[in-house]
Amino acid sequence: MLKVFYMTFGCKVNYYETECIKSIMKQKGFEKCGSYKSADIVIINSCTVTASGDSRIFSAIRKIKNENPECIIALTGCYPQAFPEEASEITDADIITGTKNKQDIPDIIIRFLEDRQHISIIEGYQKNDIYDHMTCTEFPDNTRAFVKIQDGCNCFCSYCIIPYARGRIRSKSPDILKNEISGIAESGVREIVLSGINLAFYGKEYDLTLADAVEICCNTDGIERVRLGSLEPEMMTDSQLERLSAQEKFCPQFHLSLQSGCDRTLKAMNRKYTSSEYAGLVSRIRNKFPICNITTDIMVGFPDETDEDFRRSAEFVRSMDFGKIHVFRYSRRKGTVADRMPNQICDSVKSERWHIMNHIGINSQKKFLESRVGMTLPVLFEREKNPDFHNGYTPDYAYIKIPEKNFRKSLRNSIFYVRIIDSTSDYCTGQIIK
Ligand code: SF4
């Protein structure tokens, strides 16, 4: 039986797709192994959101070939799809495929094993492509499952390469989703995190919306919690919020990608909202969900971002009281509109702005966790990371630690109410309410 090692880069959608490929490979008689050094085949599921992401793939391939020269390397995913010419020059990759039809990778590997001839299949995207219905019911961590339900993006933000790597928006059919979630519930997973490339656009071709997908999951026995992955703000309507707030199992954490708090920069990024529209959405969410957490992504150093633009962005971000902020430096991507813009910002200014924005994020998170002290909230406990405490998350994604020196019984995959007693900059501590 040939041994396969899986290497995944990037977003939750990529990790989900790797889990799907793993289960197909298993059905076809391949065995999973724990290291690329002992593998016969290495499947690399790539990401190309940033230039540094590409470099990580190149160095991974070099390292694998140096330390295991006989192994077969299959490179798939967003990098070859967005940059097919560059990818075809990677001679150390025996098989190269894009983001379409990832479910065919096992058969392509079997074909390669017949004559060991290099295979490169990178199909372009068409307007009317349909969703690749890969599904998965086995997840490495049986507490929470990241389930992909949507693919593609039509937004073409000026800095983003993803629409070129993932094609146009398309969704998983509700019937297939229903069956998949039932299978996941039977495997013992209690929390579903719905994921997509542009998740908020779920369901268009079925006249459905994201709220329908959430309701499908909430109505599945055995599923206790339903969480949403990253969202684009412009699609979160009042009727969606109304339907989500009616679902007891819905987790009130909204990762609303803002990118900048300055309207001039948002316009140059081709984002589809203004800072005041964003603020309006945040207050509507907080009205609908009194206990909720709003987290976000912020980019610094976008081309032509002046000191004044950055100051406005930082001031706006500070005023939003986010529970957590992921700060990114702008990364030039060949083929995007922003790559051709004048006034590219130098790395030292990007770093300076990154540190300022990241500091705002640290204070925001600290304030969010402090606000949970005194509350009693349900916590879904996960695999213990340390022998001296149990750990898990509340529905609004506050990280909780329950100290218990040398505990004997794991609380993994159980839900208990916890009275929150104290907080630090990264987590809260508390006591389980019997
Ligand atoms: S919404 Fe914008 S940032 Fe998000 S994937 Fe689409 S183009 Fe990229």
Side-chain angles (χ1 to χ4, degrees), residues 71-83:
C71 87
I72 296 163
I73 294 183
L75 172 64
T76 186
C78 292
Y79 175 71
Q81 186 74 42
F83 303 107

Side-chain angles (χ1 to χ4, degrees), residues 420-432:
I420 298 172
I421 295 169
D422 200 355
S423 68
T424 69
S425 53
D426 299 314
Y427 59 87
C428 293
T429 55
Q431 269 173 339
I432 291 180

Side-chain angles (χ1 to χ4, degrees), residues 49 152-164 166 169 196-198 201 230-234 257 259 269-272 299:
V49 164
C153 183
N154 296 3
C155 291
F156 291 92
C157 300
S158 58
Y159 53 82
C160 187
I161 195 73
I162 297 172
Y164 307 95
R166 286 277 175 178
I169 56 168
I197 296 300
N198 201 332
F201 284 81
S230 186
L231 292 169
E232 295 304 320
E234 67 271 22
S257 191
Q259 299 300 355
M269 287 175 164
N270 191 26
R271 300 290 282 171
K272 312 294 187 292
M299 185 183 288

Side-chain angles (χ1 to χ4, degrees), residues 328-378:
F328 302 91
R329 294 169 179 84
Y330 166 70
S331 171
R332 289 184 83 160
R333 299 282 52 212
K334 203 179 79 184
T336 63
V337 173
D339 181 52
R340 300 187 292 275
M341 285 181 183
N343 303 334
Q344 298 281 333
I345 308 291
C346 67
D347 288 349
S348 59
V349 172
K350 281 183 193 170
S351 292
E352 198 187 305
R353 290 177 181 173
W354 185 90
H355 284 287
I356 293 169
M357 197 62 88
N358 194 51
H359 190 67
I360 294 171
I362 291 168
N363 288 339
S364 281
Q365 175 170 303
K366 197 163 176 288
K367 199 172 163 192
F368 164 72
L369 293 169
E370 272 164 10
S371 71
R372 282 358 191 201
V373 175
M375 290 187 183
T376 298
L377 296 169

